[in-house]
Amino acid sequence: MTTSRIGDPARTAPPQWRDRKRHLWLFGLVPPTAVLLATGLVWLFNQLGWHHAAPVWWWIGPLLVYVLLPILDRFFGPDGQNPPDEVMEQLENDRYYRYCVYAYIPFQLLSLVFACYLWSAGDLSWLGVDGGLSLVSKIGLALSIGTMGGVGINTAHELGHKKDELERWLSKITLAQTFYGHFYIEHNRGHHVRVATPEDPASSRFGESFWTFLPRSVWGSLRSSWSLEKSRLQRMGKRPWTIHNDVLNAWLMSVVLWGALAAVFGPGVLPFLVLQAVYGFSLLETVNYLEHYGLLRQRTAAGRYERCTPEHSWNSDHIVTNIFLYHLQRHSDHHANPTRRYQTLRSMDGAPNLPSGYASMITVAYFPPLWRRVMDKRVLAHYGGDITRVNVQPGKRDRILAKYGVA
């Protein structure tokens, strides 16, 4: 099958072009159903008498992120297929792709409710478990639910960029699990405006470790979202403390959801809800860290930042993680066309590429020396060795510039 990339001279589409990933998008439902699958595997292992091995399946979320996806990315490699111009409108309007995303939400809520039952149940004899789950199993379950919530933030990201009012509300509902509803505001109206600049809390800087970036991004995004909504409401002659504040009404959804779960299953589920939320949004922030590390939009003669182009986002075209994250790794096209639906995003020439998929790079990001060894040389190569064109961590700026021979 003939494929093409942006910028290729030959752009003629085959007469019968088809999306070879069309049915693969259903694998995006693996994260919200993983805990249900894990429950079946725990039951099976207990029936077979493998009682000591059964609890490992409660950790299915971390196993998926840190083990299975990196292996599959390595095995299947990059995608290489871009939709040609001739099919873009048809592909954009094909509602099948929307339903693949919508289906994530009921499974997400079902799995969350089921996890609360498992955390609170004192008798799980039907599962082959004596009494309730052990603390270690409950923690593993919380991280697996957090994995679902983290991928759910990406689902909310896909929905939140759309103009359809229903999809925007579905975005907020998806964010309720992780108590990260302000992402709906900050990402669309903050990050997309300030991306790849020192002013953007979600753009990581050269020399900045993930562990330094994490609190800066979390707190900075929170402050930015509140400021953006406050300014919007002021223009409408309203105070910020109103249900019309999209930060507050998104958080209210989380309060209602968590309150209902605590009322039904008892307050004992709250520590695990907090754990899954923190882990879930930390996965999002790890991806934020990957997406723009060290990249900088230069200032024009007028003193403004240049327009965001493909060179301001790190990309990866590894097909497996792209299936699970709705083409999030085709990040340059997303920034160029924020409302474009995931199935039409394309791998763009001129965009810098990560050495592997996001799932593999998440683990690398946790270890700053390893991250710098892998990524710093790629940032410098992207800018032709000119460190002055890089978005450098302010506290390390003098030392970094001196290292690369700049006074």
Side-chain angles (χ1 to χ4, degrees):
M1 179 180 295
T2 303
T3 60
S4 62
R5 290 181 178 273
I6 303 297
D8 283 350
R11 298 299 308 280
T12 303
Q16 298 296 325
W17 187 91
R18 65 181 181 85
D19 180 11
R20 68 185 186 190
K21 300 190 292 292
R22 181 178 178 86
H23 300 296
L24 295 179
W25 294 115
L26 293 173
F27 280 102
L29 297 179
V30 168
T33 58
V35 166
L36 305 178
L37 173 63
T39 304
L41 291 170
V42 169
W43 176 86
L44 177 61
F45 273 46
N46 283 326
Q47 292 298 309
L48 295 173
W50 303 341
H51 302 290
H52 294 294
V56 74
W57 292 112
W58 298 123
W59 296 77
I60 193 169
L63 288 172
L64 180 68
V65 172
Y66 303 121
V67 180
L68 182 59
L69 284 181
I71 291 174
L72 292 176
D73 266 341
R74 181 74 175 177
F75 182 79
F76 288 100
D79 181 350
Q81 185 191 48
N82 275 335
D85 292 338
E86 291 78 4
V87 303
M88 290 290 278
E89 183 177 358
Q90 177 186 349
L91 201 58
E92 182 83 13
N93 294 325
D94 189 336
R95 300 189 72 86
Y96 163 80
Y97 295 95
R98 303 186 196 187
Y99 299 146
C100 289
V101 179
Y102 296 168
Y104 192 101
I105 302 170
F107 284 116
Q108 176 187 9
L109 294 175
L110 174 63
S111 293
L112 180 62
V113 171
F114 184 59
C116 288
Y117 159 71
L118 293 173
W119 286 323
S120 60
D123 180 13
L124 291 174
S125 55
W126 63 271
L127 195 55
V129 176
D130 294 331
L133 296 183
S134 68
L135 179 59
V136 172
S137 293
K138 288 181 178 180
I139 292 173
L141 176 58
L143 297 184
S144 293
I145 289 294
T147 301
M148 176 184 73
V151 178
I153 296 176
N154 180 61
T155 304
H157 166 261
E158 171 64 24
L159 294 168
H161 272 293
K162 305 304 174 282
K163 298 178 181 179
D164 185 274
E165 193 66 24
L166 171 63
E167 291 185 299
R168 294 190 176 197
W169 276 101
L170 289 175
S171 175
K172 293 182 184 179
I173 292 171
T174 310
L175 292 167
Q177 174 191 332
T178 48
F179 229 110
Y180 227 56
H182 59 280
F183 172 83
Y184 169 82
I185 299 299
E186 161 55 21
H187 180 82
N188 292 352
R189 288 159 42 198
H191 174 65
H192 271 261
V193 174
R194 300 183 297 245
V195 62
T197 71
E199 290 78 20
D200 181 31
S203 293
S204 57
R205 301 157 177 170
F206 189 93
E208 181 180 30
S209 74
F210 167 71
W211 305 107
T212 302
F213 168 82
L214 178 61
R216 181 174 73 84
S217 184
V218 171
W219 179 242
S221 297
L222 177 59
R223 290 179 57 191
S224 176
S225 63
W226 182 262
S227 177
L228 288 166
E229 269 301 272
K230 183 179 179 180
S231 297
R232 181 183 72 86
L233 291 167
Q234 282 179 340
R235 291 194 297 270
M236 300 170 61
K238 296 180 180 180
R239 295 182 177 274
W241 297 98
T242 169
I243 194 63
H244 299 290
N245 185 321
D246 282 332
V247 174
L248 292 181
N249 59 49
W251 286 347
L252 182 60
M253 290 184 182
S254 296
V255 171
V256 171
L257 176 61
W258 285 30
L261 292 172
V264 173
F265 297 104
V269 302
L270 289 174
F272 300 105
L273 287 174
V274 172
L275 176 59
Q276 64 83 25
V278 172
Y279 181 68
F281 70 67
S282 72
L283 281 178
L284 162 79
E285 296 297 354
T286 315
V287 170
N288 278 339
Y289 180 77
L290 308 177
E291 288 174 335
H292 306 284
Y293 177 75
L295 303 180
L296 179 65
R297 287 154 59 193
Q298 308 301 314
R299 289 193 181 272
T300 65
R304 297 181 179 180
Y305 287 111
E306 64 182 326
R307 184 177 180 179
C308 185
T309 66
E311 69 178 41
H312 298 122
S313 301
W314 289 101
N315 285 251
S316 171
D317 206 28
H318 284 72
I319 188 169
V320 176
T321 303
N322 261 333
I323 290 294
F324 277 80
L325 295 180
Y326 305 117
H327 268 160
L328 180 67
Q329 297 179 135
R330 294 184 169 184
H331 208 59
S332 290
D333 196 6
H334 168 66
H335 272 279
N337 304 281
T339 61
R340 180 174 284 177
R341 295 189 181 275
Y342 69 94
Q343 68 270 20
T344 60
L345 292 175
R346 296 187 278 193
S347 183
M348 304 184 75
D349 287 342
N353 279 279
L354 296 169
S356 188
Y358 281 8
S360 303
M361 298 305 293
I362 285 173
T363 303
V364 177
Y366 291 158
F367 301 94
L370 179 59
W371 173 264
R372 290 194 298 269
R373 182 175 180 179
V374 171
M375 289 302 300
D376 284 5
K377 61 186 178 183
R378 286 179 165 83
V379 175
L380 285 169
H382 180 60
Y383 288 109
D386 186 355
I387 190 65
T388 63
R389 298 178 61 199
V390 174
N391 186 7
V392 176
Q393 174 76 341
K396 298 181 179 179
R397 185 172 184 82
D398 291 343
R399 188 180 3 160
I400 290 174
L401 292 182
K403 177 180 178 181
Y404 293 101
V406 179

